[in-house]
Amino acid sequence: MGPRTVSPAPLAVSAIYISIVGVDVVPPYYKVKYTAERMLEASGLGVTIRVPDMGGPETHTLPDLVRTHLAYRGSRRPVLPVPLAGKAYAAFRRGGNLAPSHAVGKGTFEEFLAAAGRRG
């Protein structure tokens, strides 16, 4: 037998890429993730992009979460407003990272704090 040319078997590739709520509206990190998603879609690979379009059960501002955390710890420290600049924070203020129409989550922030306290 003489030498043979062996063709490699076709490579079967499939992937599931997890997205996040607001990936198309919150820059700059989200912009990079959104670009990666578009590149995967255009690659011709068998890619499924899953957007966990869920949130809730409650929506809070960052100062509200800080106040709740401090109260849980028994602290009376004041929470002072600190304006945050930039496109990402503007998108967060507009709610670009939220999914209030899909508030399917069950655990509240208060429940999270209580469970964290029990763990140690």
Side-chain angles (χ1 to χ4, degrees):
M1 280 192 176
R4 296 183 312 171
T5 303
V6 178
S7 299
L11 180 62
V13 177
S14 65
I16 296 175
Y17 188 79
I18 305 299
S19 188
I20 50 178
V21 173
V23 73
D24 54 340
V25 295
V26 180
Y29 166 74
Y30 284 20
K31 183 177 180 181
V32 172
K33 189 163 182 61
Y34 184 67
T35 300
E37 291 177 11
R38 301 293 73 82
M39 290 171 65
L40 284 168
E41 287 179 335
S43 71
L45 300 173
V47 177
T48 300
I49 296 178
R50 301 206 182 237
V51 180
D53 195 10
M54 59 176 231
E58 303 170 328
T59 301
H60 297 284
T61 65
L62 183 56
D64 289 341
L65 293 174
V66 171
R67 284 186 195 96
T68 301
H69 182 260
L70 290 174
Y72 180 81
R73 294 183 60 202
S75 175
R76 295 179 182 237
R77 291 181 181 181
V79 177
L80 305 175
V82 177
L84 300 172
K87 292 179 182 179
Y89 293 112
F92 287 137
R93 283 192 300 275
R94 289 191 306 272
N97 60 319
L98 303 175
S101 61
H102 297 278
V104 297
K106 302 293 183 210
T108 66
F109 186 59
E110 290 83 359
E111 291 168 343
F112 165 77
L113 290 174
R118 285 192 300 272
R119 286 192 300 267

